[in-house]
Amino acid sequence: MNLARRQLLHFSAATAGLLAAASPARAAGGALLAPRLRPGDTLGLVSPANATFEREPLKMAIEVVQALGFKVKLGEFVAARRGPFAGTDAQRAADINAMFADDTVAGILAVTGGSGCNRIVDKLDYELIRRKPKFFGGFSDLTCLVNALHRQTGLVTFHSPVAVSEWNDYSVQSFRSIVMNAEAATLRNPVVKPMDDLIAREERTTTIRPGKAQGRLVGGNLTVLASMAGSAYFPDCRGALLFLEDINEYIYRIDRCLSTLRLAGALSQLSGVVLGRFTKCEPGEGYGSLTLDEVFDDYFLPLNIPVYRGAAIGHIKRKLTVPVGAAAEMDAEAGTMRLLQAAVT
């Protein structure tokens, strides 16, 4: 082989290597993976769901990110105000797009939940996000965006605590294992030993229908998810593991939201269901109410798929970080979700 030929082959191999290194990583099944977060990385704080009405909560949110080992970059409009929101719809969407475009920012975390994400979901630059995949996390109203980003781009996103959440040891360890250590972890509730009781009464899971199932994890807040039904941003539920939680909703409203998902055809496509905490979801007034047990039995038992209730997901102190779009295996009797591979690279 002559010198020119060897140089050409060497150049082609080097170019291919550079292109491969520059291409976003894909998991088995085609999911787009963000690079893991590392200590010293810059995390962008945005407020797509709600305004932060006082200075101190935003200050504490910054301190949380720093305590996790990251530098902080605030969105331009993170402290803005229009009604209940952190600025106009265009401003809040612009903050997210700017964070994805900024090569100095390794990941993006919502400051707080609220109610504004549905207003901006169609204003995000999904082509940009597909080209520059990054960690994106939050829960509650952020259910809209973490599912939309995955549906539109394939990016694995994270149903995680927001910056103003309580970051106790359990929540921190779950976050770090999934997002920073790239572990194919098993997601399970914390073990709480009874102090002066015969049995444990906290962090319990209940099997509704036993069995194991595999699929992509999708879901989050039930009310928010139901509000997205029929849109291009609603998750693809074919063969998926659906996880759900909610807070401060009367039981008849939980029933109505599950009916919406059923009528949209989402429930019949699932491989399994994981129910988190339905905090302060009570009967309310009137002539009586079904119990949550009865509502869940009515909707999920006819599906003949594994279902368990009580996962550490929701508006609670100790929260799991759940990767939306990642492949997992649930075990309804053990009360676990085992990731089949790492959710970041």
Side-chain angles (χ1 to χ4, degrees), residues 22-310:
S23 300
R26 293 272 177 182
L32 181 62
L33 301 183
R36 73 186 70 186
L37 295 180
R38 303 176 187 275
D41 280 347
T42 296
L43 205 58
L45 286 179
V46 296
S47 286
N50 220 45
T52 303
F53 295 98
E54 300 285 343
R55 288 188 289 268
E56 194 63 18
L58 183 55
K59 182 175 181 290
M60 289 191 289
I62 294 169
E63 291 174 4
V64 159
V65 174
Q66 291 170 336
L68 286 168
F70 305 119
K71 300 172 185 174
V72 179
K73 180 165 185 175
L74 296 178
E76 181 180 355
F77 303 105
V78 74
R81 172 81 186 277
R82 181 178 183 266
F85 305 127
T88 66
D89 295 346
Q91 288 172 333
R92 289 179 290 120
D95 264 1
I96 295 174
N97 290 333
M99 290 296 184
F100 273 103
D102 189 341
D103 291 334
T104 69
V105 173
I108 305 154
L109 183 66
V111 173
T112 185
S115 64
C117 290
N118 283 43
R119 296 174 62 106
I120 68 169
V121 67
D122 57 346
K123 296 174 174 60
L124 302 186
D125 187 342
Y126 292 105
E127 182 55 40
L128 165 69
I129 294 166
R130 192 179 296 111
R131 292 197 314 270
K132 295 188 173 186
K134 298 178 182 182
F135 163 83
F136 185 92
F139 83 110
S140 191
D141 195 53
L142 275 297
T143 292
C144 175
L145 299 188
V146 295
N147 284 279
L149 263 63
H150 177 65
R151 183 64 192 269
Q152 290 292 314
T153 70
L155 176 64
V156 172
T157 55
F158 297 88
H159 188 274
S160 73
V162 292
V164 298
S165 294
E166 178 179 324
W167 287 80
N168 48 68
D169 184 64
Y170 175 79
S171 300
V172 170
Q173 292 306 314
S174 179
F175 180 87
R176 284 179 171 161
S177 67
I178 304 296
V179 176
M180 301 179 70
N181 299 339
E183 297 176 20
T186 296
L187 282 59
R188 56 166 52 92
N189 284 14
V191 176
V192 178
K193 297 180 180 179
M195 295 295 292
D196 186 21
D197 202 340
L198 291 175
I199 63 171
R201 300 180 186 273
E202 297 180 37
E203 306 295 352
R204 296 172 64 97
T205 60
T206 302
T207 304
I208 295 177
R209 181 179 286 281
K212 296 180 180 180
Q214 293 185 0
R216 290 171 298 99
L217 290 161
V218 298
N221 183 268
L222 172 59
T223 305
V224 175
L225 202 66
S227 75
M228 300 167 63
S231 76
Y233 309 100
F234 187 78
D236 182 354
C237 290
R238 291 174 295 179
L241 303 178
L242 178 67
F243 65 94
L244 297 171
E245 63 84 26
D246 222 315
I247 186 172
N248 291 334
E249 295 289 352
Y250 290 136
I251 292 175
Y252 82 86
R253 293 177 182 170
I254 299 297
D255 190 325
R256 178 185 291 162
C257 288
L258 288 174
S259 179
T260 298
L261 298 188
R262 181 180 66 82
L263 294 173
L267 299 187
S268 63
Q269 303 180 68
L270 299 171
S271 291
V273 176
V274 175
L275 298 171
R277 309 296 176 78
F278 285 72
T279 307
K280 297 181 181 178
C281 292
E282 298 167 350
E285 300 176 357
Y287 292 104
S289 170
L290 296 173
T291 67
L292 279 175
D293 282 336
E294 290 170 326
V295 170
F296 293 149
D297 286 353
D298 285 349
Y299 284 97
F300 298 123
L301 285 180
L303 301 179
N304 293 315
I305 58 176
V307 185
Y308 76 91
R309 178 181 173 187

